[in-house]
Amino acid sequence: MARGKKPVARPHPTASGLEDSSTATSPSAPLQIEAPATSSQQAPVNDEAPATQAGSATPSDSANPVSSAKRSFVWEHFKEYDKIEKGKDAEGNEIDIVKKRAHCDKSQGNKLTAVAYDQDDYLEACVEMIVIDELPFTFVEKKGFNRFCTRVCPLFKVPSRRKLVTNFLRMYDAQKKELIKILKAYRVCLTTDTWTSVQNINYMVLTAHFVDVDWKMHKRVINFCVIQNHQGATIGRLIESCLLQWEIERVLTITVDNASANKSSLEWLISKMNKSEGYKPVLGGKYMHVRCTAHITNLIVGHGLKRLQKSVLAIRNVVKYVRSSPNRLDSFRKAVERVKLPLKGLVCLDVPTRWNSTYLMLEAALKFKKAFVRMEEDEDQLYLGYFKEPEEEYDEEGNLIPSTNKRNRVGPPAKSDWEKAEIFVDLLRVFYDVTLRVSASLHPTVHTTFHDVVTMEKNINNLFLEPEIATGSDTEKVLTDMAANMKSRFLKYYGSFQDLNHLVIIGLVLDARFKLRNYTHSLKEEGLDDFDVQHRTDEIKSLLMALYDEYAPTVDGGRHMRKHPSPTSSSSTITSSRSNPRKGVRGQMLNNWKKVVQESDEAVMVHEVDQYLNAPLEFVDDEEEDFDILCWWKINGPKFPVMAAIARDVLAIQTSTVASESSFSTGGRVIDAFRSSLTPKSVEGLICMQNWLLGDDIAQVVDEEPSIENTEFYEQAELDYESSASSRNTRPSGPTIPRAKSKGKAAVPISID
């Protein structure tokens, strides 16, 4: 056989029903098409055609369609593949080889199928593994990984660290370009925060949040870059640089914590946006600055914890006693058995710098309050001796440091300590639930934030006892002081809801269970007089109308823009009707009536905003988590197209920067001593790309702009339909009988000529 001819497919024994022990392939070996033997060694596969003709093509064959047809029966069981690699036959001649490997296809019930070997695809999968699992690039050079690949996929050529990094950077740049194209179709809400790594390098993370056209919420980390300092101007310039790099022009809000530098940075950025034609801020960026609710909650709770520091420390010490050794844990378990408490779960120790963990510690310890009291009453020497040891000290990060203090440990807790803890846990439960709710970043939270703020205020006010029921005890005084501290912080950040970003209230209005009526009701519950209630209600409705006017030109080509009647246009219409004798008095009467209708309240009801606000409220029987607000707007959006466009953007607003800080939990593990050799670009690529790989697919915006091509397409489709319909109607008529019904198909009448 001449060199360069196509190789012959060697059939699998089970496929053809024939078996040649000398040539059969091993079931464990990858299926491949090998070069044929020489003409002297090759035997014919069947009586009709020699095997050398199976799949081979000579120049004369290509000119003759009949002779080029594959006549061997082996092609009933095999297919040709274009994915080839170079190899050599037994004589050392270079040939093309198609390599295949077995693969279980879950979509076909784990059916064993052959998949073409693709080194590039395997290399991309290796990069994704490194990024998702936060592995070092040197992982591919480890002996264990190489041994694993040798046994599982011998064909895979394990890349070097240099090649892996090169492919990682290539994939990062390619995915970034693709994401830039997608983000252009959406208005995004940003969250940002700054962080200092263990190497004392300042980083800033920027995360984009948006709801796609399929009403699914997404978050994408778009920057994790070095920042020189935490000054406002520096933060503002870096955010602007990131927006330019990502070609982001439409930003609705930016959520930051309550540092003064963040406020000045956004003021600088909004001023730059309003002066540039490249950005399109909503309503001049007036409502772009959103303060982090989770951060404010931390400040309020931290202010309250200071007043209960001694009681919390006493309970923390008894928990630490139980968790410090097996012997102490056994003595605690015996005390639990003596007071007949169910031993379900154990006490947990907190991280002093994280109040949510302190709440969980207090909540668990209160369940075993009787056991701790019993240990003290029994004068347990191990237990009481523990509090005679010197107190430990911690730094601001919660790390244990050498103590020079000889003061004994605080504790065991007194009765008043347990009473304060019980009241404080009930209060903390509210703040804990609020923090969890506003920290979610994969479903909307802005529509519940207003109620969360009201709930926090009411729970703080409940700590103030009425004078007639106050007993004047030490516990009451401590709790009253704590409530006063927390109240002062609450008023500093929220005031009487005036300092709450009004787009957060718009989020409440866009919730079909509440709308504007609930906001009005909440203001009345707060004790505001009727004038203030009406003034603030009108203020929010005016904002909603302003949003409508800004969004209407972008929805359906501006078809939903409000028509503002003007006296000049009306008078000109009336004048023209007078000058037209054919219209006469009747035309004048109709024009006058149109003017009256436009200026009356009945015309207002035609407006989409009023249609939405006056539509019946939705009610959910169970918890509010059962109400899927995105699903509601997906179903009802066609009835309120402009309101739906507003809702898609507003519901993406984040009321917490925890979504950004979650990146730092990953970033903190990456930017450590182990990866100190990584450059800032590699660090950014790892953080961003991990988020992109783990994110859901984003629905693409379909371009429905009018075009000549679209018009011609639909016109041609209509002509084709009319032509086919007319041909059906001109068929010879005759008696028809129903066709026999088959399973799953309807009977169709057929014509008998």
Side-chain angles (χ1 to χ4, degrees):
M1 178 178 177
R3 184 185 305 176
K5 287 189 177 182
K6 271 194 173 180
V8 177
R10 177 178 296 171
H12 194 281
T14 58
S16 63
L18 302 177
E19 182 173 357
D20 184 353
S21 59
S22 64
T23 60
T25 56
S26 170
S28 61
L31 180 64
Q32 70 180 33
I33 298 178
E34 299 179 350
T38 59
S39 58
S40 59
Q41 296 173 335
Q42 185 171 324
V45 179
N46 57 26
D47 295 331
E48 296 180 3
T52 54
Q53 296 176 359
S56 63
T58 63
S60 60
D61 291 335
S62 61
N64 186 354
V66 177
S67 62
S68 63
K70 300 177 178 64
R71 293 175 291 175
S72 174
F73 71 90
V74 298
W75 295 110
E76 298 175 4
H77 309 283
F78 291 91
K79 294 180 181 179
E80 280 190 291
Y81 292 89
D82 296 332
K83 186 67 180 179
I84 59 175
E85 290 188 6
K86 295 295 183 181
K88 293 185 178 181
D89 60 11
E91 298 179 354
N93 300 321
E94 187 175 280
I95 60 173
D96 293 337
I97 298 177
V98 177
K99 295 186 177 180
K100 304 283 289 179
R101 62 188 297 268
H103 172 72
C104 290
D105 191 348
K106 293 183 178 180
S107 64
Q108 300 183 16
N110 285 332
K111 180 181 178 181
L112 193 63
T113 59
V115 178
Y117 164 77
D118 191 335
Q119 173 70 16
D120 294 337
D121 184 55
Y122 292 178
L123 185 56
E124 285 193 6
C126 186
V127 172
E128 291 177 359
M129 176 190 68
I130 295 294
V131 173
I132 292 175
D133 294 337
E134 301 175 30
L135 300 171
F137 290 113
T138 55
F139 182 80
V140 294
E141 298 177 349
K142 303 291 184 182
K143 290 183 178 179
F145 179 71
N146 278 265
R147 180 177 296 182
F148 171 81
C149 291
T150 301
R151 297 179 64 179
V152 175
C153 185
L155 297 177
F156 176 49
K157 300 173 184 177
V158 179
S160 64
R161 177 178 56 173
R162 179 179 295 276
K163 187 171 184 179
L164 191 72
V165 173
T166 301
N167 277 269
F168 154 70
L169 294 174
R170 176 187 58 78
M171 291 173 61
Y172 168 67
D173 288 338
Q175 292 187 20
K176 182 175 180 179
K177 290 178 182 178
E178 186 64 26
L179 187 55
I180 288 175
K181 294 179 182 177
I182 294 175
L183 290 181
K184 285 183 178 180
Y186 296 99
R187 185 178 295 278
V188 299
C189 299
L190 303 175
T191 56
T192 183
D193 206 344
T194 54
W195 191 260
T196 303
S197 72
V198 295
Q199 302 159 312
N200 203 30
I201 298 177
N202 298 321
Y203 282 83
M204 186 190 78
V205 65
L206 194 66
T207 308
H209 307 260
F210 59 96
V211 176
D212 68 15
V213 292
D214 199 32
W215 291 93
K216 291 182 180 179
M217 196 163 184
H218 302 273
K219 76 167 185 176
R220 293 293 186 271
V221 178
I222 59 176
N223 273 99
F224 194 95
C225 47
V226 175
I227 185 171
Q228 299 303 319
N229 53 62
H230 293 175
Q231 297 177 2
T234 305
I235 296 173
R237 289 190 181 95
L238 188 54
I239 293 176
E240 183 188 35
S241 174
C242 293
L243 295 179
L244 291 173
Q245 179 189 138
W246 279 83
E247 301 177 20
I248 294 177
E249 299 178 348
R250 299 187 297 163
V251 178
L252 180 61
T253 60
I254 302 178
T255 305
V256 295
D257 64 25
N258 294 279
S260 57
N262 286 326
K263 181 180 179 181
S264 61
S265 68
L266 290 189
E267 290 175 350
W268 181 91
L269 183 62
I270 293 169
S271 174
K272 289 291 184 182
M273 284 183 170
N274 287 327
K275 294 177 182 178
S276 172
E277 295 182 357
Y279 296 101
K280 301 173 184 177
V282 174
L283 302 179
K286 181 180 179 181
Y287 304 98
M288 186 175 290
H289 182 190
V290 177
R291 292 182 300 176
C292 175
T293 303
H295 187 253
I296 295 175
T297 303
N298 287 340
L299 295 175
I300 294 173
V301 173
H303 226 52
L305 274 171
K306 291 180 180 178
R307 197 64 183 86
L308 290 180
Q309 187 174 6
K310 184 177 179 181
S311 298
V312 172
L313 184 57
I315 296 176
R316 180 182 294 128
N317 283 335
V318 297
V319 173
K320 191 180 297 182
Y321 166 82
V322 172
R323 308 293 301 187
S324 57
S325 74
N327 290 336
R328 292 170 177 175
L329 181 59
D330 288 340
S331 65
F332 173 70
R333 284 176 173 168
K334 292 176 182 178
V336 172
E337 292 175 357
R338 285 195 293 269
V339 295
K340 298 181 179 180
L341 289 175
L343 192 61
K344 293 182 180 179
L346 283 176
V347 289
C348 57
L349 195 60
D350 71 329
V351 179
T353 56
R354 298 180 182 176
W355 70 266
N356 56 336
S357 67
T358 302
Y359 156 72
L360 295 173
M361 178 195 71
L362 295 175
E363 185 181 46
L366 284 169
K367 297 177 182 177
F368 298 99
K369 169 186 170 183
K370 293 182 179 179
F372 287 117
V373 174
R374 181 63 180 266
M375 292 170 69
E376 185 177 1
E377 292 175 350
D378 292 346
E379 297 183 356
D380 188 323
Q381 296 302 316
L382 286 174
Y383 181 67
L384 296 177
Y386 178 75
F387 296 98
K388 296 178 182 179
E389 299 174 4
E391 184 66 73
E392 297 172 340
E393 291 186 8
Y394 297 86
D395 60 13
E396 294 181 354
E397 301 295 330
N399 301 315
L400 181 66
I401 59 176
S403 174
T404 57
N405 189 5
K406 302 300 181 182
R407 185 180 61 226
N408 291 344
R409 281 194 176 93
V410 177
K415 181 180 179 181
S416 60
D417 294 326
W418 290 111
E419 290 176 352
K420 295 172 187 175
E422 287 178 349
I423 298 175
F424 194 52
V425 162
D426 290 337
L427 178 65
L428 281 184
R429 185 176 293 111
V430 174
F431 288 87
Y432 179 75
D433 291 340
V434 168
T435 302
L436 290 181
R437 191 156 41 244
V438 301
S439 299
S441 58
L442 294 179
H443 60 79
T445 59
V446 66
H447 63 298
T448 62
T449 300
F450 176 78
H451 287 163
D452 289 334
V453 173
V454 174
T455 301
M456 287 191 293
E457 183 192 35
K458 289 185 176 180
N459 278 270
I460 294 173
N461 291 336
N462 290 339
L463 291 176
F464 294 98
L465 298 177
E466 298 294 334
E468 56 271 15
I469 62 174
T471 61
S473 65
D474 178 64
T475 301
E476 285 183 357
K477 291 180 181 178
V478 171
L479 292 175
T480 301
D481 290 344
M482 180 188 71
N485 291 340
M486 297 177 74
K487 183 71 173 181
S488 65
R489 286 285 177 174
F490 181 89
L491 293 175
K492 177 181 179 180
Y493 295 113
Y494 289 126
S496 183
F497 308 132
Q498 283 298 97
D499 295 328
L500 189 64
N501 190 311
H502 284 183
L503 284 182
V504 174
I505 304 175
I506 293 295
L508 172 71
V509 175
L510 292 172
D511 191 326
R513 299 168 297 171
F514 305 115
K515 301 186 180 180
L516 193 59
R517 280 169 272 179
N518 183 264
Y519 178 64
T520 303
H521 171 76
S522 299
L523 294 177
K524 292 179 179 179
E525 291 286 309
E526 287 293 308
L528 275 68
D529 57 44
D530 293 341
F531 177 81
D532 277 347
V533 170
Q534 188 61 45
H535 172 72
R536 297 191 182 189
T537 300
D538 292 342
E539 190 176 23
I540 297 302
K541 185 173 181 180
S542 297
L543 173 57
L544 189 58
M545 288 290 190
L547 288 171
Y548 183 95
D549 289 341
E550 183 139 340
Y551 274 77
T554 65
V555 178
D556 293 344
R559 186 165 57 89
H560 305 278
M561 293 179 65
R562 277 200 290 174
K563 303 297 190 297
H564 297 280
S566 60
T568 53
S569 62
S570 299
S571 60
S572 62
T573 304
I574 295 172
T575 303
S576 62
S577 66
R578 288 175 180 171
S579 60
N580 189 345
R582 297 185 64 181
K583 289 187 177 180
V585 177
R586 179 177 175 81
Q588 180 180 347
M589 291 173 57
L590 291 175
N591 285 327
N592 289 339
W593 172 243
K594 288 179 181 178
K595 180 181 178 181
V596 172
V597 171
Q598 288 174 344
E599 296 176 352
S600 67
D601 293 337
E602 294 178 17
V604 176
M605 288 299 297
V606 179
H607 196 278
E608 186 180 310
V609 171
D610 293 284
Q611 289 178 359
Y612 167 74
L613 293 178
N614 290 284
L617 298 176
E618 294 284 343
F619 287 100
V620 179
D621 295 333
D622 300 324
E623 296 293 328
E624 61 183 15
E625 284 76 10
D626 294 336
F627 181 71
D628 189 338
I629 189 170
L630 293 182
C631 181
W632 189 93
W633 275 105
K634 182 178 182 179
I635 296 172
N636 295 275
K639 294 189 294 185
F640 315 106
V642 179
M643 292 292 292
I646 297 171
R648 180 179 287 113
D649 292 345
V650 170
L651 293 177
I653 295 175
Q654 299 294 298
T655 55
S656 171
T657 61
V658 174
S660 293
E661 292 169 357
S662 64
S663 299
F664 292 127
S665 64
T666 298
R669 293 193 298 272
V670 173
I671 314 168
D672 55 13
F674 182 71
R675 289 195 170 183
S676 59
S677 60
L678 291 178
T679 63
K681 181 178 180 180
S682 295
V683 172
E684 180 180 34
L686 288 168
I687 296 295
C688 294
M689 191 169 164
Q690 183 193 52
N691 172 260
W692 304 345
L693 290 173
L694 296 176
D696 294 332
D697 293 335
I698 303 171
Q700 298 284 347
V701 176
V702 180
D703 186 9
E704 292 291 351
E705 290 294 327
S707 65
I708 296 176
E709 291 78 9
N710 284 342
T711 304
E712 291 177 347
F713 170 81
Y714 289 111
E715 287 178 349
Q716 186 61 45
E718 291 173 359
L719 291 174
D720 292 343
Y721 172 76
E722 292 174 359
S723 175
S724 61
S726 61
S727 63
R728 287 195 301 268
N729 294 334
T730 58
R731 286 180 181 177
S733 59
T736 60
I737 60 171
R739 180 178 295 173
K741 290 186 178 180
S742 60
K743 188 176 181 180
K745 296 182 179 180
V748 179
I750 59 174
S751 175
I752 299 179
D753 296 331

